[in-house]
Amino acid sequence: MEKENIWKNYSAKQLKELEKLNQEYREFLDNGKTERECIDTIVNTIEGEGYQELESLVKAGKTLKKGDKVYSVWMNKSIAMFQIGSKPLTEGMNILGAHIDSPRLDVKQNPLYEDGGFAYLDTHYYGGVKKYQWVTIPLAIHGVIVKKDGTTVEINIGESEDDPVFFVSDLLIHLAGEQLEKKAAKVIEGEALDLIVGNKPLVIDKKKEKKDESEDEKNQAKEGVKAGVLEILKNTYGVEEEDFISAELEIVPAGKAREAGFDRSMILAYGQDDRVCAFTSMRAMLDVKAADRTICCILVDKEEIGSVGATGMQSRFFENAVAELMNLCGDYSELNLRRCLAHSCMLSSDVSAGFDPSYASSFEKKNACFLGSGMVFNKFTGSRGKSGSNDANAEYLAHLRQVLDEKKINYQTAELGKVDVGGGGTIAYILALYGMNVIDSGVGVLNMHAPWEATSKADVYEAYRGYMAFVEGAAL
């Protein structure tokens, strides 16, 4: 089965739709470089299109009916969106699920120190990264600092043209003989990924008598660069060094999503795993006018580290939200909740490894996805002998083929590289625990988990079209 480049099949109208969608997608990437920023962007978007907060409706004692649109946010890092269909919830939902966390560097709780005339923030990498890719590139700081009084200070430094950027240093080539003998996993150690944030010491008033110096002033003289950074943080954001204890600061590549290639056929940007699927899932939800089955979109945190914690897919957040939804529809019971989940169909929307001719030996070409050939289905993921995988049923795949072919959606199937070469997982196996039909479906990505990832605009468009076809037509 040949995998066709789908660009040549588009009409002028479709090409216009494709470019419009991808422009909106690039803006989504620029506005949402962390989970919290994604949630803020999503909520602002969906409220503008008629979605109401589920918790507010619960408190007000409201009821829900066909066509109502609601959402539930958990800890500002995960969200579930619902549009009520005409069929009872016990007959199941059509669910799109993606994650909005991406590999990055996280700032530690006691991070700021000075060494050799530089001020540093100590970091701990998050998710699967090639550590050597994160040195000598412009980096930005995004996140929140929560002070003891409960005040939240939002941080976003490095994205504006007027902002400073930050960086992790690397050893110059002239002295790197020993470093270059190391394996790639050890060339840059995790503890070496500390962010340089300053080099100018705080100027102390020299006229002041030494005997009049306070203990703080003596420390400032000893670590003047660190003191200078703290002074800036205090004057600009009103935070003290101890406030780092209750901060969530994420270090991400600085810069906007860009069109790539002479033909502008691709997008190069940070965080496309898995925000490309999050965006297209959200957009598909918003553009569906009505559906027989209730449709749902789940966008969650912590997938890159195992879907753990209160905001990961393994938490009860989604199940609780469905229970509240059913209660407002007058359908709730424990048995009805389980029937709803078991009878649901889901696309676990996550990216797949795009075939890279420069590293062809890592792929089995017949079963790899190609950029520009459509959305991707991974019947299973996992590693080695499908370990840790959700393996979708053949009947479900056949049903999806019918749904997509009716709408003339361009799609392909793939595995994550050659057998025994590597592997990976998604949230699919977690939702499958309810007994629902689940398959992984998303967009092929080049440079996955690198600071800058590449996707095809055509695949973004086909994913959006495919997700629309799924939520409107799946009914297994």
Side-chain angles (χ1 to χ4, degrees), residues 36-52:
R36 290 174 182 268
E37 290 176 355
C38 281
I39 294 299
D40 287 345
T41 301
I42 291 163
V43 169
N44 289 337
T45 301
I46 66 178
E47 284 189 342
E49 303 213 21
Y51 276 76
Q52 297 177 281

Side-chain angles (χ1 to χ4, degrees), residues 21-225:
L21 179 75
N22 277 278
Q23 174 63 38
E24 187 179 343
Y25 171 49
R26 293 196 301 277
E27 292 171 1
F28 177 83
L29 290 172
D30 294 340
N31 292 329
K33 285 196 171 182
T34 70
E35 309 90 301
R36 290 174 182 268
E37 290 176 355
C38 281
I39 294 299
D40 287 345
T41 301
I42 291 163
V43 169
N44 289 337
T45 301
I46 66 178
E47 284 189 342
E49 303 213 21
Y51 276 76
Q52 297 177 281
E53 187 184 30
L54 180 62
E55 286 71 18
S56 297
L57 298 177
V58 170
K59 288 179 182 177
K62 301 287 187 180
T63 58
L64 294 175
K65 62 184 183 304
K66 175 187 173 182
D68 284 344
K69 303 173 184 179
V70 297
Y71 73 90
S72 177
V73 169
W74 195 244
M75 296 185 179
N76 297 317
K77 295 180 183 177
S78 294
I79 187 169
M81 303 161 52
F82 303 91
Q83 181 175 322
I84 308 299
S86 57
K87 292 185 176 180
L89 277 160
T90 50
E91 293 188 22
M93 301 180 288
N94 289 345
I95 304 171
L96 298 169
H99 66 92
I100 51 176
D101 61 316
S102 293
R104 59 180 188 260
L105 306 180
D106 281 346
V107 174
K108 294 182 180 180
Q109 263 54 63
N110 185 18
L112 186 61
Y113 70 97
E114 181 176 334
D115 192 6
F118 295 102
Y120 291 88
L121 287 178
D122 201 354
T123 73
H124 192 138
Y125 64 91
Y126 173 96
V129 300
K130 291 181 176 178
K131 295 184 281 290
Y132 62 79
Q133 293 179 330
W134 287 78
V135 300
T136 72
I137 62 173
L139 297 169
I141 303 176
H142 291 241
V144 296
I145 299 173
V146 184
K147 298 196 283 188
K148 283 193 296 184
D149 64 1
T151 304
T152 298
V153 181
E154 294 187 2
I155 304 294
N156 185 335
I157 312 169
E159 302 297 350
S160 170
E161 288 293 325
D162 296 330
D163 282 352
V165 294
F166 311 93
F167 66 99
V168 177
S169 64
D170 191 14
L171 186 61
L172 66 161
I173 186 65
H174 310 76
L175 304 179
E178 184 178 338
Q179 181 193 45
L180 293 175
E181 293 297 319
K182 296 180 180 180
K183 291 184 177 181
K186 296 290 185 180
V187 167
I188 302 294
E189 300 281 359
E191 285 292 353
L193 290 172
D194 289 354
L195 196 70
I196 293 179
V197 297
N199 181 231
K200 183 171 72 174
L202 180 69
V203 177
I204 307 296
D205 187 359
K206 294 181 179 178
K207 294 179 181 179
K208 195 165 188 177
E209 294 291 331
K210 291 279 184 182
K211 62 182 180 181
D212 295 332
E213 282 186 334
S214 68
E215 195 63 33
D216 284 345
E217 287 171 331
K218 289 177 182 178
N219 289 334
Q220 288 174 354
K222 186 189 299 184
E223 294 188 319
V225 180

Side-chain angles (χ1 to χ4, degrees), residues 228-424:
V229 169
L230 286 172
E231 185 81 358
I232 292 168
L233 291 174
K234 183 176 181 179
N235 292 339
T236 308
Y237 300 102
V239 298
E240 307 284 350
E241 184 174 7
E242 285 191 356
D243 291 325
F244 279 115
I245 293 172
S246 50
E248 290 182 359
L249 297 175
E250 302 179 12
I251 311 303
V252 301
K256 294 182 179 297
R258 301 289 297 273
E259 294 174 303
F262 284 117
D263 54 9
R264 299 176 180 263
S265 60
M266 295 169 287
I267 293 174
L268 191 68
Y270 166 70
Q272 297 200 74
D273 176 8
D274 184 36
R275 292 172 190 140
V276 63
C277 296
F279 168 78
T280 46
S281 296
M282 175 197 72
R283 193 68 258 170
M285 281 283 293
L286 294 177
D287 290 346
V288 170
K289 302 306 178 189
D292 291 335
R293 282 158 65 101
T294 293
I295 60 177
C296 170
C297 177
I298 325 163
L299 305 175
V300 294
D301 182 26
K302 298 293 190 290
E303 191 274 346
E304 296 294 358
I305 58 170
S307 297
V308 294
T311 54
M313 196 66 246
Q314 292 193 60
S315 79
R316 294 288 182 265
F317 153 66
F318 172 62
E319 186 178 327
N320 293 344
V322 175
E324 294 284 9
L325 184 84
M326 296 187 77
N327 194 48
L328 294 192
C329 291
D331 292 337
Y332 177 73
S333 72
E334 182 66 16
L335 181 58
N336 282 348
L337 173 62
R338 299 198 175 279
R339 284 174 175 166
C340 171
L341 296 171
H343 294 156
S344 293
C345 294
M346 181 186 183
L347 295 186
S348 170
S349 311
D350 209 339
V351 296
S352 190
F355 179 78
D356 189 337
S358 297
Y359 303 96
S361 62
S362 295
F363 298 86
E364 196 270 286
K365 204 169 182 179
K366 299 191 310 302
N367 289 289
C369 72
F370 289 76
L371 266 65
S373 291
M375 67 185 298
V376 188
F377 285 93
N378 288 80
K379 186 177 186 294
F380 52 85
T381 53
S383 59
R384 299 179 300 280
K386 299 186 181 180
S387 175
S389 168
N390 169 69
D391 198 342
N393 289 333
E395 292 86 350
Y396 186 41
L397 264 168
H399 176 61
L400 293 174
R401 288 173 59 202
Q402 181 184 37
V403 169
L404 298 176
D405 286 347
E406 284 180 357
K407 296 289 187 179
K408 294 182 170 53
I409 309 300
N410 296 290
Y411 62 92
Q412 53 186 318
T413 60
E415 292 188 23
L416 194 63
K418 279 184 176 178
V419 176
D420 289 337
V421 167

